[in-house]
Amino acid sequence: MSLISIGLLVGLGIVTGVHAQAVAPVYGQCGGTGWTGATTCATGSGCVVTNQYYSQCLPGAAVPTTTSTTPTTTTSRPATTTVPTSTASAPGSTPTSKGGKLSHVGINISGFDFGCNSDGSCNASGAWPPLLQYYGHDGQGQMTHFVNDDGFNTFRLPVGWQFLTEDAATGVLNMTNFAEYNALVNACLGTGAFCIVDVHNYARFNGQIIGQGGPTNAVFSQLWGNIAAQFASNSKIIFGVMNEPHDVPDINLWAASVQAAVTAIRKAGATSQIILLPGNNWTSAETFVSNGSGPALLTVTNPDGSVTGLVFDVHKYLDSDNSGTHPECVTNNIESSWEPLAQWLRSNNRQAFNTETGGGNTASCVEFLCQQIAYQAQNSDVFLGYVGWAAGNFDPSYVLSEVPTNTGSTWTDTLLVQSCLAPSSGSQSGSTGQ
């Protein structure tokens, strides 16, 4: 069955194959259009309406334990913040969750990262600016729609290192190319949203690992110092040090490379903005602590020794192999990833930001991603938010497409965006303790 057919069936509420249960588990589905399963929640949880497609059992929810199969949509918008102030427990204390709203909810706007491979080999000519003035898709229109109609407040703007330097292994910006990328940043800022400047190179430059045989930390810090100098006075800019490092041999040396970038960003005058610190293993949320990334990155500080504004960057997809390449989702990642990470973050008085997540426009991804988002909102003291992958220049046939279609002045979102990712979907509305 095609993705479009599945999406239509979900929208009509006639998706079949859902088996009835006597009691829905915590974080399990308990209602929604066409739902034929359990509507009674496990002890200690209540059934909370997310939107017309989905209701979910949430712990401690002060609501009835059953719900109608045709719930009313609840709309909400995320709060905004510049630099997070952690409300986590002091190190060594007992971790406890704190429900609320996620401060950053967004979408990736891709195009400047086109031409980049996972070995860090990029080709500047492969980049495709997602702006009409450069013959790309209407990224500005997409972002305006996402903010005004859906309530998003953050966009991640991936770009290849090679594009910024015209393929030179240097930290010196090619200002002609940078002006094109800056046009996308300015389009983002024009919506009033936060804008993540993301160097999309997997801790490498043409296959060679930064600080470990590839570009030196001095070159890497020069790159970030020059980027930060362009945005130092803008509180809406977030600096994403590196997309998805993987197979990095020495995590402590990688932490030293991240430290070099942080120091350069702060010394360039960007003293208050959020900086995202990425770990190894494709910056996986599930292995962030176990692979040593978390402990190593705890050593990264601002020049004054503080950790204000330093947030851990994590990713997590929901398909069978966590690759983000399949249309179906099989997990909400709560037990395997988000719950243990939340406890670790609280015990260390730190925060994380899920800057890549997503799935196909299918019923299974609506189910599991709504669960993941609700859990993160319930733990908003340690999770800043999430950014879906991806809109921008992707063709709508792309398996994880979040590209809205445009007819005249009307934008229409994909199933996953309208059902879960968009703040206006009510995906955070089930959180407690606000």
Side-chain angles (χ1 to χ4, degrees), residues 118-122 162 201 203-210 214-215:
S118 60
D119 65 353
S121 60
C122 299
Q162 285 87 335
N201 274 72
R204 292 158 167 79
F205 190 99
N206 292 344
Q208 300 299 308
I209 298 174
I210 298 165

Side-chain angles (χ1 to χ4, degrees), residues 169-173 216-228 260-261 264:
T170 177
V172 179
L173 299 177
T216 63
N217 288 350
V219 171
F220 187 48
S221 64
Q222 181 186 36
L223 174 73
W224 268 113
N226 286 330
I227 293 172

Side-chain angles (χ1 to χ4, degrees), residues 391-402:
N393 262 353
F394 280 112
D395 187 278
S397 64
Y398 167 55
V399 67
L400 301 188
S401 176
E402 294 166 3

Side-chain angles (χ1 to χ4, degrees), residues 38 187 223 230 289:
L223 174 73
Q230 301 295 322
V289 177

Side-chain angles (χ1 to χ4, degrees), residues 314-328:
V314 294
H315 293 176
K316 203 74 177 76
Y317 287 94
L318 298 90
D319 53 357
S320 58
D321 60 1
N322 190 43
S323 65
T325 60
H326 304 97
E328 298 294 339

